[in-house]
Amino acid sequence: MAVQVYIVYYSMYGHVERLAEEIKKGADSVDGVEAKLWQVPETLADEVLGKMRAPPKSDVPMISPNELSEADGFVFGFPTRFGMMAAQFKAFLDATGGLWKTQQLAGKPAGIFYSTSSQGGGQETTALTAITQLVHHGMLFVPIGYTFGAGMFEMEEIKGGSPYGSGTYAGDGSRQPTKLELEQAFHQGKYIASITKKLKEAA
């Protein structure tokens, strides 16, 4: 049976979703791994989203908390709100109490990716504060560290991401993930999928 890696995300304007798509490609490149994209439910009313000029959601399916137990590993993605994960993703994790009580996610590897509007907007604090969610579930945080190689040391162009995980800058919303940011996302997917596979085979 294929190793299941779930890429679970919230994306309001599409930046996080674009990274998620590339992470899936990276995870799928690992033999014996099957990656699936999932969105968490929206908590804002359509009227509010309209005023925020948020585009319609894609056709990626919504996930329920209990479905997390079916995965062998995860990559969680979200935009930043004041240096922390967006409330929509936090609300989803708040609904995983049943899984926590029965320790169904304990020991499973998980990575994090994110989007911020500016360079000082929380590329590292968002990941750092999100780790608490993994800790309470007993999940194994898998950072990419500096395994992306030379791309981690790029100084000639603006690049999101950090040793905590891949990332992008949205700016006013018009900026899209760059080639280098997408390459880092692909690397993250491949890296976490490889570790997830090793852990499952060793179990």
Side-chain angles (χ1 to χ4, degrees):
M1 184 175 179
V3 175
Q4 298 292 314
V5 173
Y6 282 8
I7 301 150
V8 184
Y9 67 91
Y10 172 76
S11 187
M12 179 173 284
Y13 296 106
H15 299 81
V16 172
E17 184 167 71
R18 184 67 189 91
L19 292 179
E21 292 167 350
E22 210 63 26
I23 288 171
K24 182 182 187 301
K25 291 178 185 177
D28 281 334
S29 74
V30 177
D31 186 51
V33 172
E34 180 181 340
K36 293 183 180 180
L37 289 175
W38 299 92
Q39 296 186 78
V40 302
E42 180 59 77
T43 60
L44 296 176
D46 290 341
E47 181 182 359
V48 175
L49 292 171
K51 291 180 178 179
M52 297 176 74
R53 298 182 180 178
K57 300 295 183 190
S58 70
D59 58 0
V60 171
M62 296 290 171
I63 191 170
S64 65
N66 286 338
E67 287 176 290
L68 290 175
S69 64
E70 301 168 6
D72 300 303
F74 308 94
V75 196
F76 297 127
F78 29 77
T80 296
R81 299 291 184 266
F82 299 115
M84 301 177 73
M85 69 171 65
Q88 288 88 343
F89 206 93
K90 179 61 166 59
F92 173 75
L93 291 175
D94 283 349
T96 60
L99 297 177
W100 166 79
K101 188 175 182 180
T102 53
Q103 293 293 286
Q104 292 187 56
L105 303 183
K108 295 186 177 184
I112 294 168
F113 63 106
Y114 37 80
S115 170
T116 67
S117 62
S118 64
Q119 293 186 66
Q123 287 278 314
E124 292 192 346
T125 61
T126 300
L128 187 61
T129 53
I131 291 172
T132 62
Q133 311 294 317
L134 310 185
V135 167
H136 282 261
H137 273 290
M139 287 187 275
L140 308 176
F141 175 50
V142 181
I144 59 172
Y146 284 83
T147 61
F148 185 47
M152 296 299 295
F153 300 93
E154 171 59 43
M155 295 293 287
E156 299 303 316
E157 67 173 84
I158 295 175
K159 180 188 74 68
S162 74
Y164 291 93
S166 59
T168 188
Y169 296 115
D172 62 1
S174 61
R175 182 186 187 275
Q176 294 300 311
T178 64
K179 179 176 180 290
L180 186 58
E181 289 171 339
L182 294 175
E183 288 174 351
Q184 186 180 47
F186 181 95
H187 170 77
Q188 183 176 21
K190 183 177 181 179
Y191 183 70
I192 292 181
S194 297
I195 290 176
T196 303
K197 181 181 178 181
K198 289 179 182 178
L199 287 172
K200 186 174 184 180
E201 289 177 345

